[in-house]
């Protein structure tokens, strides 16, 4: 116990050693307290046994116990005094350390506040500079945008003027070419009527000769020829009506379409020589120049009418007469007409493969090449907002499949995923049905393949589209 430092020695002890010293003094205090308690217990026990021993022995033992008690009390007092001093010194050190940390925290907070103030001032200056620069850029952008709009407006007006003149000339050329096609088709249909008429006359003659047992048998044999003749008459009426519409709208003479087309090159010539001034663009930005007008197109002379179809002589071989039918009706398919126009020998040739049919149908090597400025399909279903589908590619796939699988998406249950395809050939646009459930109709007729003309109406399932070829 004598090893514990005195109060004066505490000043020389490092503050880091004070906790260990406090623990040491606390342990010594506990030991001294235990010794004092033992001495007190022995004194109390001796007092109880006082009458059992001799007085001189009792006094000797009691004196020894009292000395131990006094020494223990003195040791406890000294240790408590030293422990109090160490505790006070430790508390002072801890308070000083707390004060030091508080001062450091206050200084750090002050430095951080000063740094934030400096950063806020710097950020405010930066924002002011950015705002000034943004306003200058906005003014420059607005000025550039104003100049660009003016240039675009001038270029657009010039392009529209040129496009309008081109469209007018192209529309008239198309009308002349369509008139020639319709006249040729009308003459061909007139010639096609000869075969079924002759067949009907032959059957009537055979009836007079008594070859048929009953009138029902005769009517059954003649029905197919009458249906074929009626179908040809319907097609002929549609063709004649379209010829009359072209004649009324464009003033084209069906006998000499070229004479009516004479004014068209005049429109082209007025476009070929535009004044150069409107096309001079400012240094920046430079708009694209307007498209150059197309040169006048020389319309090919009308095709020479095909010679009349020779009807084979009458005979008793009835199946031979039925070969005049291209296929069993109830309704004519435009596919037959297209094949006869493009390939006269197709009726007797073997059925071509799919690729051959595709090539034969979509290639018009004998047709004059046609150009269109803005070909498109326009949806015209009642109660539905009009939609325009541009025909910008050589092939356009129509169906209800998602965009990416088809080019023109018609989202309707009556439209197959891949319903029909439109392809641009040398002679114009063609359409082909891809084996759909609901079929494809052109101007009310169900078709497998057909040529498309301006203002034709296409029905895909329940969706109605109008063809506009300008």
């Amino acid at each position: 116990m004598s090893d514990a430092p005195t109060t004066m020695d505490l000043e020389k002890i490092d503050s880091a050693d004070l906790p260990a010293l406090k623990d040491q003094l606390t342990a010594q205090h506990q030991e001294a307290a235990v010794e004092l308690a033992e001495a007190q217990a022995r004194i109390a026990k001796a007092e109880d046994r006082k009458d059992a021993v001799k007085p001189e022995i009792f006094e000797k033992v009691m004196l020894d116990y009292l000395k131990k008690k006094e020494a223990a009390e003195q040791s406890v007092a000294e240790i408590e005094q030293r422990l109090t001093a160490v505790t006070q010194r430790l508390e002072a050190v801890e308070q000083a350390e707390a004060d030091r940390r508080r001062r450091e925290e206050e200084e750090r907070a002050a430095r951080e506040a000063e740094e934030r103030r400096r950063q806020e001032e710097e950020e405010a200056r930066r924002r002011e500079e950015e705002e000034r620069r943004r306003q200058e850029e906005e003014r420059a952008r607005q000025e550039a945008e104003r100049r660009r709009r003016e240039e675009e407006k001038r270029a657009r007006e010039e392009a529209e003027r040129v496009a309008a003149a081109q469209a007018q000339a192209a529309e008239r050329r198309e009308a002349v070419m369509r008139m020639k096609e319709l006249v040729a088709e009308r003459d061909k249909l007139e010639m096609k009527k000869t075969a079924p008429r002759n067949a009907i006359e032959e059957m009537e003659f055979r009836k007079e000769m008594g070859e048929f047992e009953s009138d029902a048998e005769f009517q059954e044999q003649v029905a197919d020829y009458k249906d074929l003749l009626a179908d040809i008459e319907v097609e002929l009426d549609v063709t004649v009506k379209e010829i009359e519409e072209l004649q009324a709208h464009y003033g084209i003479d069906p006998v000499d379409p070229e004479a009516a087309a004479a004014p068209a090159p005049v429109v082209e010539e007025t476009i070929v020589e535009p004044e150069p001034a409107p096309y001079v663009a400012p240094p920046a930005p430079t708009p694209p120049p307007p498209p150059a007008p197309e040169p006048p197109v020389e319309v090919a002379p009308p095709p020479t009418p095909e010679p009349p179809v020779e009807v084979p002589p009458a005979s008793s071989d009835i199946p031979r007469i039925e070969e005049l039918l291209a296929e069993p009706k109830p309704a004519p398919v435009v596919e037959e007409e297209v094949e006869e126009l493009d390939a006269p020998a197709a009726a007797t040739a073997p059925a071509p493969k799919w690729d051959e049919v595709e090539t034969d149908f979509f290639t018009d090597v004998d047709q004059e090449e046609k150009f269109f400025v803005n070909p498109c399909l326009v949806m015209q279903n009642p109660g539905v907002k009009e939609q325009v589908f541009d025909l910008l590619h050589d092939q356009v796939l129509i169906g209800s499949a998602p965009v990416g699988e088809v080019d023109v998406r018609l989202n309707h249950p009556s439209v197959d995923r891949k319903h029909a395809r439109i392809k641009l050939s040398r002679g114009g646009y063609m359409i082909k049905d891809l084996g759909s459930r609901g079929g494809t109709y052109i101007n009310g007729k169900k078709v497998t393949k057909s040529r498309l003309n301006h203002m034709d109406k296409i029905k895909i399932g329940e969706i109605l589209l109008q063809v506009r070829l300008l």
Side-chain angles (χ1 to χ4, degrees), residues 163-405:
Q166 289 178 340
Q168 183 180 1
E171 182 178 356
R172 189 164 186 82
R173 288 198 304 270
E174 180 68 19
V176 171
M177 296 178 65
R178 180 57 181 165
M179 176 63 80
K180 294 196 305 183
E181 293 174 358
L182 291 172
V183 170
E185 185 175 355
R186 180 194 63 188
D187 296 341
K188 188 170 183 178
L189 290 172
E190 289 288 352
M191 289 187 291
K192 284 181 65 176
K193 289 164 57 176
T194 305
R197 283 176 177 172
N198 291 342
I200 292 173
E201 291 179 4
E202 179 182 348
M203 300 299 289
E204 291 175 348
F205 180 73
R206 291 179 182 276
K207 179 182 178 182
E208 294 176 1
M209 296 297 101
E211 292 188 13
F212 297 97
E213 296 180 358
S214 64
D215 185 66
E217 181 182 357
F218 167 75
Q219 293 297 335
E220 182 180 355
Q221 294 290 336
V222 175
D224 291 338
Y225 298 104
K226 288 184 177 180
D227 291 342
L228 177 59
L229 185 60
D231 293 339
I232 295 174
E233 289 288 352
V234 171
E235 294 184 26
L236 184 59
D237 290 343
V238 173
T239 303
V240 171
K241 183 177 179 181
E242 188 173 352
I243 291 174
E244 293 173 353
E245 290 176 355
L246 286 177
Q247 185 176 8
H249 188 272
Y250 296 99
I252 303 174
D253 185 4
V255 179
D256 188 7
E258 296 293 341
V266 177
V267 179
E268 297 285 349
E269 290 174 1
T270 59
I271 301 171
V272 172
E273 299 179 358
E275 294 182 5
Y279 295 94
V280 178
T286 305
E294 300 179 358
V297 178
E298 296 183 2
V299 182
T304 305
E306 298 181 4
V309 179
E310 295 183 3
V311 181
S315 67
S316 59
D317 189 1
I318 300 302
R320 180 173 175 275
I321 297 176
E322 293 177 347
E323 291 176 359
L324 295 172
L325 294 172
E327 67 179 90
K329 297 288 181 178
V333 180
V334 178
E335 175 184 358
E336 298 174 356
E337 309 306 328
V338 176
E339 291 179 352
E340 290 183 6
L341 287 171
D342 294 340
T348 58
K353 298 180 180 178
W354 170 259
D355 293 337
E356 294 172 353
V357 172
E358 201 81 325
T359 303
D360 293 342
F361 175 67
F362 285 123
T363 304
D364 288 338
V365 295
D366 297 329
Q367 293 288 337
E368 181 179 355
E369 187 172 3
K370 298 181 180 181
F371 300 92
F372 304 97
V373 177
N374 187 25
C376 61
L377 301 176
V378 181
M379 183 184 294
Q380 293 189 328
N381 280 55
V384 179
K385 183 179 179 181
E386 182 176 282
Q387 288 184 264
V388 179
F389 304 97
D390 294 329
L391 301 177
L392 301 178
H393 305 289
D394 292 342
Q395 293 194 50
V396 176
L397 186 59
I398 304 174
S400 60
V403 176
E405 298 182 24

Side-chain angles (χ1 to χ4, degrees), residues 5-8 10-11 18 21 25 78-92:
T6 62
T7 304
M8 300 300 295
L10 291 177
E11 301 295 335
L18 290 176
L21 178 60
L25 289 173
E78 291 178 356
I79 293 173
E80 286 179 350
Q81 181 181 4
R82 294 170 185 170
L83 184 60
T84 301
V86 170
T87 301
Q88 292 176 351
R89 174 68 191 283
L90 184 60
E91 290 176 352

